[in-house]
Amino acid sequence: MVRASGAAAPEGLSKAGGAGGAGTTVTPTTPPLKEPSPFTAPPSRTHTSRPDRAHAWAELLRLPALFTVPGDALAGAAAVSARPTARTLLAIASSLCLYEAGMALNDWADRDVDAVERPHRPLPSGRIRPVAALGAACALTGAGLSLAACAGRPALTVAVPLAGTVWAYDLALKNTPAGPFAMATARGLDLLLGAAATAGAGVVGAGPFGSRAGVDGVDGVGRRGGACRAWATAVADAPRAALGAATVPGVVDGIHRAPTSASLLGIRRALPSAALLGAHTLALTTVSRREAQGGSPLAPFAALAVTAALTRTVTRQRSLPTDRIAGGRRGTGSRRMADVANLAAAAMSRLSHPPRQTGDHMTPPGPRPEPLDTHAVLRLALAAAYAATTARPYLHATLNPSPPLTQRAVTAGIRATIPLQAALTARSGAKGATVTALLTTALAPLAGRFARKVSVT
């Protein structure tokens, strides 16, 4: 008991009465203990230092997994055969906010379950209050939608269902059979967000005849792009002078609808890449559903099969729309004419490069070595990195689906998202795809570095 004077009677020291005699003091058998100051507050779980609070938020938001997000928008930009633009960067920022909103909301929705299965998590341990996690989820969602709106109307059109899917998964669909499909849909929409933002800027690659499709400006001509604004003015003024002002609104409306058509074309061209990334996410989410308890080996075995199929797919060059259009227009007669042209070209090549004379023999010129296909080499390397990251942990979880091995498989699947995104970027064959794929790959070491400090699961 702490007294007001700050001193207490130690054990063995008392005033004896009766048999011991009045006023007789007893020598203490133990030295007096130093008591804490009455102004020292007891330690509390909710009062943490700033470094501990920062680490708790990094653990709540799963900071290492954040490096798997930018590759979605970059792969979406490559899928529309375009280089990343400023709108692509806005799409990346929007994706980061929505992803972290989902992480905070996930722990808020699972705080009761984590109190039993993972009491060390920030919310059950009291390091972060539940109301703070929910407020962060709401604020990050609003920031993500605002950044998508800055990237343009097509990007916002994709960001709204993306945010809805994230909230629906965390609050309602996570523990249902539709949970893995919702997560796969969210990851696919994240890739389409980058495609819509990039294509909405009018950079959707080469058209069927080599010209660039789309126009500059998402919300209509006149806000961005001086050349496009001058072209729109000329088109609008010509009908006004020749036919009257009645036809001008239709022309202007057509100009305003052009960016929307370009963004829809870009989204359509990005659908195959979004489906491949969604398949990886579907398999990974199915494995993660039982990471805390362990479960059946069927889920990691299915994920291993999906990894093999995706590896085989991304190693092949993606056929561009121009190739399909050109192939569809060629009939039987066109193929015969092409064969004749090839034979003529071979004959002209032989005439222009006569045989070399070596002694008494005439030797034909040797075949010219074909240039190294760097895109193919990069695709093979990235596909091999993706398979190597996931194959072994998935196999171990298949042979022994215990919680530690299952969690290790989930961690490997999250890390493998980066080489898969880079492989999809290189597979597109777009201009600058090699540089973009290498930049995406550079995020993997950063994710691994932070994963040693903060868990990604």
Side-chain angles (χ1 to χ4, degrees):
M1 176 179 177
V2 179
R3 297 182 180 178
S5 60
E11 287 187 87
L13 181 60
S14 61
K15 293 183 179 181
T24 304
T25 60
V26 180
T27 305
T29 58
T30 58
L33 300 177
K34 184 179 180 180
E35 291 194 356
S37 171
F39 301 101
T40 302
S44 175
R45 294 188 308 171
T46 57
H47 292 80
T48 57
S49 61
R50 286 187 177 182
D52 293 339
R53 194 180 304 115
H55 187 274
W57 278 102
E59 188 178 350
L60 175 72
L61 300 177
R62 294 171 178 84
L63 186 61
L66 197 63
F67 294 94
T68 66
V69 178
D72 292 343
L74 295 177
V80 298
S81 302
R83 294 175 180 175
T85 63
R87 294 175 184 269
T88 310
L89 298 179
L90 288 174
I92 292 176
S94 175
S95 299
L96 292 173
C97 291
L98 294 178
Y99 187 86
E100 294 293 41
M103 289 298 179
L105 186 64
N106 176 77
D107 276 27
W108 180 84
D110 288 350
R111 60 191 185 279
D112 295 333
V113 179
D114 289 342
V116 178
E117 297 179 354
R118 298 177 178 181
H120 62 278
R121 293 293 299 167
L123 294 187
S125 62
R127 288 176 291 163
I128 297 178
R129 295 181 300 171
V131 65
L134 181 60
C138 296
L140 288 169
T141 301
L145 294 177
S146 299
L147 289 169
C150 294
R153 190 180 305 167
L156 181 61
T157 304
V158 179
V160 170
L162 172 58
T165 303
V166 170
W167 280 72
Y169 172 81
D170 287 333
L171 298 181
L173 302 178
K174 182 187 305 182
N175 298 321
T176 67
F181 295 95
M183 183 61 71
T185 301
R187 182 65 80 164
L189 287 173
D190 199 26
L191 188 145
L192 295 180
L193 176 60
T198 308
V203 187
V204 294
F209 304 100
S211 61
R212 300 188 70 81
V215 295
D216 189 11
V218 174
D219 295 329
V221 179
R223 292 191 179 183
R224 295 179 60 90
C228 197
R229 188 184 305 113
W231 172 78
T233 304
V235 172
D237 289 343
R240 179 182 291 111
L243 302 177
T247 59
V248 175
V251 175
V252 176
D253 290 342
I255 297 173
H256 279 261
R257 286 194 297 269
T260 304
S261 301
S263 61
L264 291 178
L265 175 62
I267 292 176
R268 187 191 310 172
R269 291 169 64 175
L271 284 176
S273 297
L276 294 176
L277 188 60
H280 167 74
T281 308
L282 175 64
L284 173 61
T285 308
T286 304
V287 175
S288 67
R289 289 169 71 88
R290 302 290 296 177
E291 62 176 327
Q293 303 88 5
S296 171
L298 294 179
F301 179 75
L304 188 62
V306 171
T307 300
L310 291 178
T311 303
R312 184 173 181 271
T313 302
V314 298
T315 53
R316 293 179 293 183
Q317 176 68 36
R318 178 188 173 189
S319 59
L320 297 177
T322 55
D323 300 334
R324 291 194 294 268
I325 293 175
R329 292 179 178 177
R330 292 194 187 118
T332 305
S334 300
R335 283 193 293 269
R336 291 177 181 175
M337 292 298 295
D339 294 339
V340 172
N342 291 334
L343 290 175
M348 293 298 295
S349 176
R350 186 174 295 273
L351 290 176
S352 60
H353 298 84
R356 296 190 303 267
Q357 186 174 2
T358 305
D360 298 334
H361 302 282
M362 302 290 289
T363 59
R368 296 181 179 179
E370 296 182 359
L372 182 64
D373 189 357
T374 57
H375 289 282
V377 174
L378 183 60
R379 288 198 310 271
L380 290 175
L382 293 174
Y386 167 66
T389 305
T390 56
R392 187 174 180 180
Y394 281 161
L395 180 60
H396 288 173
T398 301
L399 299 177
N400 181 16
S402 61
L405 293 181
T406 303
Q407 292 176 7
R408 190 175 302 174
V410 173
T411 302
I414 295 174
R415 292 173 51 199
T417 305
I418 296 178
L420 177 60
Q421 294 164 341
L424 292 175
T425 302
R427 177 176 177 262
S428 65
K431 291 183 179 181
T434 300
V435 177
T436 305
L438 293 177
L439 289 177
T440 304
T441 308
L443 297 174
L446 296 176
R449 181 180 179 182
F450 281 95
R452 290 191 291 267
K453 299 180 180 180
V454 180
S455 176
V456 297
T457 60

